[in-house]
Amino acid sequence: MALLEVRNLKKIYTTRFNGNHVQALSDVSFSVDQGEYVAIMGESGSGKTTLLNILASLDKPTSGEVLLNGKNIVKISEKEISKFRRENLGFVFQDFNLLDNFSIQDNIFLPLVLSNKSYETMVKASAPIVEELRIKDILKKFPYEVSGGQKQRCAVARALITDPALILADEPTGALDSRAADDLLNIFDKINSKGQTILMVTHSTRAASHAKRVLFIKDGQVYHQLYRGNSSVDEMFTKISDTLTMIATGESRYE
């Protein structure tokens, strides 16, 4: 059974003032297996952000299902959804979403604090992660005292500390310079190689080329997908670039 199953998702928004209907997702279906690393790409307005918000249980679809480990997250009550999100999902955002008045360590601990874990449990859970991400020496600093790359590594540590079933990454390299972006992508490669499932929404062809599979969203549905297979990152980069050109020029859909 797939870790994540998305079935016939549709999302229609109704504008506040004139009551017009805007269809963000028309019929999206795909699955993600345990241990996969999947990137989602698409032009602005294609529906990929709406899709991510639904997968993150931050929004509800008009119709369709999202199953994580067999549980339909669309049906989870508002009362239970925060707990479910903390226990099953890890989030990495473009703008880091760190609390400036919390130290780096306290930002990492936050999901476990909200789950009422003991300080000893938090220290034990974080120790191998901060070592792996090379942020042990900045734990007592505050976000405004460290670089963008260090902030994002802190965000990754926060995402990993609950041992989530799935990490959702929203444009994770968008606010980073090229060196910090490459560093983050190498970290994603490493944690994925250890079995962590990652689903990443990105505009970056370079970022997507690290994924094992790329889904292309167009007009609210999955338009095409690419498998990396034995291709190198550079070869995958070329495949993605060619596909984006095909989509932009309106050529026929690949079979």
Side-chain angles (χ1 to χ4, degrees):
M1 184 175 68
L3 172 69
L4 175 70
E5 293 183 82
V6 178
R7 299 175 179 171
N8 307 114
L9 274 193
K10 179 185 289 187
K11 179 65 178 181
I12 299 174
Y13 293 101
T14 302
T15 56
R16 179 179 299 178
F17 298 109
N18 55 21
N20 288 341
H21 297 298
V22 177
Q23 186 156 312
L25 298 175
S26 57
D27 185 14
V28 173
S29 297
F30 65 91
S31 62
V32 176
D33 289 338
Q34 170 67 44
E36 267 203 288
Y37 182 178
V38 177
I40 296 177
M41 302 191 78
E43 297 176 338
S44 296
S46 62
K48 62 185 185 301
T49 299
T50 298
L51 174 60
L52 185 71
N53 286 339
I54 292 173
L55 299 182
S57 65
L58 299 171
D59 196 2
K60 297 278 190 181
T62 303
S63 62
E65 296 180 318
V66 178
L67 282 73
L68 184 63
N69 276 327
K71 187 176 182 67
N72 189 356
I73 68 175
V74 173
K75 301 296 186 182
I76 299 176
S77 69
E78 291 297 326
K79 184 178 180 180
E80 299 174 326
I81 197 65
S82 294
K83 182 174 184 290
F84 177 85
R85 199 182 291 130
R86 280 198 308 272
E87 292 178 350
N88 294 277
L89 301 173
F91 299 94
V92 181
F93 302 95
Q94 177 177 342
D95 57 0
F96 319 125
N97 278 26
L98 302 178
L99 299 176
D100 279 336
N101 57 335
F102 279 30
S103 69
I104 294 296
Q105 184 176 62
D106 288 342
N107 269 284
I108 294 169
F109 284 175
L110 188 57
L112 297 185
V113 171
L114 295 173
S115 297
N116 296 315
K117 300 298 184 182
S118 69
Y119 179 77
E120 291 75 17
T121 297
M122 292 187 279
V123 171
K124 184 177 181 180
S126 67
I129 298 171
V130 299
E131 193 76 45
E132 180 77 26
L133 297 180
R134 308 187 312 280
I135 52 175
K136 187 176 180 180
D137 60 335
I138 62 168
L139 291 179
K140 300 305 180 184
K141 293 187 176 182
F142 291 83
Y144 55 83
E145 297 179 304
V146 302
S147 69
Q150 289 171 321
K151 288 178 185 178
Q152 197 60 298
R153 278 184 270 146
C154 169
V156 173
R158 180 184 58 191
L160 289 171
I161 198 168
T162 59
D163 190 23
L166 176 65
I167 283 185
L168 297 173
D170 185 10
E171 300 285 1
T173 62
L176 304 178
D177 61 35
S178 58
R179 180 178 294 182
D182 286 342
D183 184 46
L184 178 68
L185 293 171
N186 288 333
I187 288 170
F188 274 14
D189 289 345
K190 186 175 292 186
I191 63 176
N192 173 248
S193 72
K194 295 180 179 180
Q196 177 64 59
T197 311
I198 302 172
L199 192 149
M200 171 177 63
V201 167
T202 183
H203 279 99
S204 167
T205 302
R206 176 57 67 183
S209 64
H210 281 253
K212 293 177 179 176
R213 180 162 55 113
V214 182
L215 299 176
F216 298 88
I217 305 293
K218 181 179 181 181
D219 299 330
Q221 57 186 317
V222 177
Y223 184 81
H224 180 54
Q225 63 180 332
L226 283 176
Y227 287 86
R228 182 172 167 185
N230 294 322
S231 299
S232 66
V233 169
D234 289 339
E235 289 168 339
M236 189 64 168
F237 183 96
T238 300
K239 291 180 181 180
I240 294 170
S241 297
D242 290 345
T243 301
L244 291 173
T245 299
M246 176 271 296
I247 293 172
T249 56
E251 294 178 27
S252 298
R253 183 197 301 241
Y254 285 48
E255 296 297 332

